[in-house]
Amino acid sequence: MRFDLTDLRLFENIVEAGSITGGAAQTHMTLASASQRVLGMEAGLGTPLLLRSRLGVRPTEAGRTLAHHARLVLQQMERLRGELGEYGAGLQGHVRMLCNTSAMTEHLPEALGAFLVQHPRVSVDLEEQASSDIVDALRAGLGDIGIVSDVVDVEGLQHFVFRPDDLVLVLPRGHALARRRRVGLAEVIDCSFVGLPEGSPLQEHVALHARRLGRRLSYRVRVRSFEAVCRMVEQGIGVGIVPKAAADRSPSLPRIRAVPIAEAWAARQLLACVRDADALPLHARRMLNHLLAPAAS
């Protein structure tokens, strides 16, 4: 079974177009040549890849599997071309980094900035994703380094503690619970909450523990950042749950109280994950070592 990149691109185009004619045109190939290539792929595999009808074609189960992997291979080749092109522009290296919201906003800017200052010819492709999506992307080879919450399954990846990322309850200074040393979620379950947009991984995490109490949180408003949550709490709109680092850096801190949450689920850590640290490109390995060094804190 030997497929070249032209085979993969042709097959992806055929599946997207729903016809061999359309796929051939998108690949700038004659219909006869495209048909011959598809027949050759099917012969090499010993199984049909397409179901043909008067209305066009659709992939078989084997064809869907091939189309999925073809997309991954072609995406990787596009990344390869882009990154190699950057070497010609004077860059020494390129790191693909994925991180969750807390890492992006609270922990990475200073540590990553210091690394880039020390390595002016290295570029970073930094993308924010949910922790669960990050570990899937790393397993598929779609990133070099990922920063995720320790609540996700990191099986199959090497992982290292990057930063503590405890969650705290933020309250207006005058709130009845503001002077408490610790507060349980059950004690504020009936309060109006200020939260992040629906679907935010942190909000889903908190909502899960509310459901385990048999309750749902009531959001009075949802905003786009931890700082905005703190500002809304400062104005008495409701209470919120944010990473301790976000509360500590908030301009609202003199007018709000950040109280530790009593439950164990709020004591989180951020993990730096890779498929294989020894197999990382040199610049990515240097970045990982920098991020994990105490001086990067």
Side-chain angles (χ1 to χ4, degrees):
M1 180 181 65
R2 293 184 178 179
F3 298 157
D4 60 27
L5 292 177
T6 302
D7 289 334
L8 298 180
R9 190 169 299 281
L10 170 64
F11 193 76
E12 182 186 32
N13 288 339
I14 288 172
V15 172
E16 289 183 354
S19 72
I20 296 177
T21 302
Q26 290 181 30
T27 318
H28 307 291
M29 188 180 294
T30 66
L31 176 59
S33 179
S35 297
Q36 193 61 40
R37 278 184 175 265
V38 172
L39 290 173
M41 286 190 281
E42 291 179 322
L45 283 171
T47 187
L49 294 171
L50 297 171
L51 297 173
R52 297 157 173 86
S53 71
R54 291 185 301 104
L55 300 178
V57 298
R58 56 190 178 89
T60 62
E61 189 64 34
R64 283 193 289 272
T65 299
L66 175 60
H68 168 72
H69 287 284
R71 291 188 191 100
L72 293 178
V73 170
L74 293 170
Q75 286 171 5
Q76 288 291 81
M77 288 304 300
E78 288 301 314
R79 286 181 179 269
L80 175 61
R81 291 190 186 99
E83 292 179 20
L84 288 178
E86 290 172 350
Y87 283 94
L91 290 175
Q92 291 179 333
H94 186 91
V95 181
R96 296 165 298 166
M97 189 169 201
L98 309 171
C99 63
N100 66 7
T101 302
S102 182
M104 174 76 86
T105 58
E106 302 303 326
H107 300 282
L108 271 179
E110 291 182 9
L112 185 55
F115 176 84
L116 293 175
V117 167
Q118 296 171 19
H119 301 82
R121 296 176 65 189
V122 174
S123 68
V124 178
D125 180 8
L126 183 61
E127 185 175 343
E128 181 181 344
Q129 294 186 18
S131 292
S132 56
D133 293 335
I134 292 171
V135 294
D136 287 342
L138 290 175
R139 291 183 185 118
L142 300 179
D144 295 315
I145 303 171
I147 307 295
V148 304
S149 168
D150 63 356
V151 301
V152 299
D153 180 8
V154 294
E155 184 178 359
L157 299 174
Q158 289 183 314
H159 57 278
F160 314 88
V161 175
F162 172 56
R163 296 287 188 278
D165 193 44
D166 293 350
L167 297 177
V168 296
L169 181 71
V170 286
L171 305 158
R173 280 275 173 178
H175 195 281
L177 298 174
R179 294 188 177 277
R180 291 275 298 277
R181 298 185 63 180
R182 295 167 71 84
V183 174
L185 181 61
E187 297 178 83
V188 292
I189 202 80
D190 293 321
C191 294
S192 295
F193 271 76
V194 178
L196 296 176
E198 191 169 359
S200 159
L202 184 144
Q203 296 305 154
E204 293 298 321
H205 180 57
V206 176
L208 169 65
H209 292 283
R211 289 195 297 272
R212 287 176 176 171
L213 295 173
R215 304 294 294 278
R216 293 174 61 90
L217 299 181
S218 173
Y219 289 99
R220 192 168 178 200
V221 63
R222 293 180 183 267
V223 292
R224 298 193 62 83
S225 69
F226 298 133
E227 182 176 339
V229 170
C230 292
R231 287 180 175 175
M232 287 289 181
V233 170
E234 174 191 348
Q235 297 175 59
I237 305 302
V239 303
I241 293 177
V242 301
K244 183 178 183 299
D248 289 345
R249 297 186 191 207
S250 172
S252 301
L253 187 58
R255 295 168 294 278
I256 62 174
R257 280 275 295 156
V259 182
I261 297 171
E263 285 85 10
W265 57 262
R268 309 191 310 173
Q269 291 182 319
L270 292 178
L271 305 177
C273 299
V274 296
R275 292 180 72 183
D276 182 353
D278 293 332
L280 286 174
L282 178 60
H283 41 272
R285 191 159 65 249
R286 284 175 175 168
M287 177 180 287
L288 178 64
N289 291 337
H290 173 86
L291 294 176
L292 298 179
S297 302

